[in-house]
């Protein structure tokens, strides 16, 4: 019975994620795309809580789920944590859920690094130790979460 319950949970989440993908792929009659409220998506809520626990983050930042392609392209990023602020910006347009989650994990690592005083001005650049640690941890823990929740791979 436990395994059938677990299977029902996976099917329920797969249905939830399929619904999100459909919303993203559809357009309104006026040509505007649908935007998903990732804050209210149960799998994202679970993932953020799980990540915060894994990295021992002391405070939970606020999230901005962005569809601003120009910001992503001009600033060459899909996520941003601003040192000294308790917020995270994540670009979500036309991205798979697992990719969005990886960005969330990466940015939450930066939040933890900030709490620990690890980020100094000018020390966070591509290939820097700060970035390498966030990349490594995000890659590792996405595999762990993905084994528990294969439905995030679309």
């Amino acid at each position: 019975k436990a395994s059938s319950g677990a299977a029902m949970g996976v099917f329920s989440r797969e249905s939830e994620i399929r619904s999100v993908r459909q919303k993203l792929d559809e357009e309104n009659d006026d040509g505007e795309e649908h935007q998903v409220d990732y804050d209210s998506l149960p799998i994202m809520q679970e993932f953020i809580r799980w990540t915060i626990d894994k990295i021992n983050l002391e405070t939970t930042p606020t999230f901005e789920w962005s569809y601003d392609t120009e910001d992503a392209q001009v600033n060459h990023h899909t996520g941003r944590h601003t040192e000294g602020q308790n917020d995270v910006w994540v670009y979500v347009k036309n991205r798979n859920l697992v990719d969005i989650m990886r960005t969330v994990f990466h940015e939450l690592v930066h939040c933890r690094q900030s709490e620990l005083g690890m980020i100094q001005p000018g020390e966070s650049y591509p290939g820097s130790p700060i970035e390498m640690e966030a990349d490594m941890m995000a890659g590792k823990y996405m595999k762990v979460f993905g084994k528990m929740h294969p439905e995030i791979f679309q």
Side-chain angles (χ1 to χ4, degrees), residues 7 20 23 49 54 73 82 108 119 148:
V20 168
K23 285 181 187 177
R49 285 190 306 269
K54 289 292 175 199
Q73 290 176 342
T82 304
L108 289 175
I119 301 176
M148 298 184 307

Side-chain angles (χ1 to χ4, degrees), residues 31-122:
E32 291 190 25
E33 64 192 335
H34 290 271
Q35 294 188 357
V36 173
D37 177 12
Y38 285 92
D39 283 327
S40 65
L41 192 62
I43 190 70
M44 186 62 78
Q45 292 171 350
E46 179 182 346
F47 176 73
I48 290 170
R49 285 190 306 269
W50 179 84
T51 301
I52 287 169
D53 180 61
K54 289 292 175 199
I55 64 174
N56 299 311
L57 192 61
E58 295 173 3
T59 58
T60 302
T62 57
F63 288 87
E64 178 184 348
W65 309 105
S66 177
Y67 289 80
D68 187 347
T69 302
E70 184 177 356
D71 188 350
Q73 290 176 342
V74 168
N75 293 300
H76 311 107
H77 62 197
T78 56
R80 174 178 62 235
H81 165 257
T82 304
E83 184 61 21
Q85 297 180 7
N86 197 29
D87 59 4
V88 169
W89 178 93
V90 179
Y91 180 66
V92 296
K93 186 175 180 180
N94 296 325
R95 296 181 67 204
N96 285 324
L97 183 59
V98 68
D99 296 327
I100 294 167
M101 289 176 157
R102 188 200 170 286
T103 298
V104 167
F105 198 104
H106 177 104
E107 297 306 326
L108 289 175
V109 169
H110 287 321
C111 291
R112 181 61 177 149
Q113 291 168 331
S114 181
E115 288 177 349
L116 296 171
M118 295 172 65
I119 301 176
Q120 303 302 318

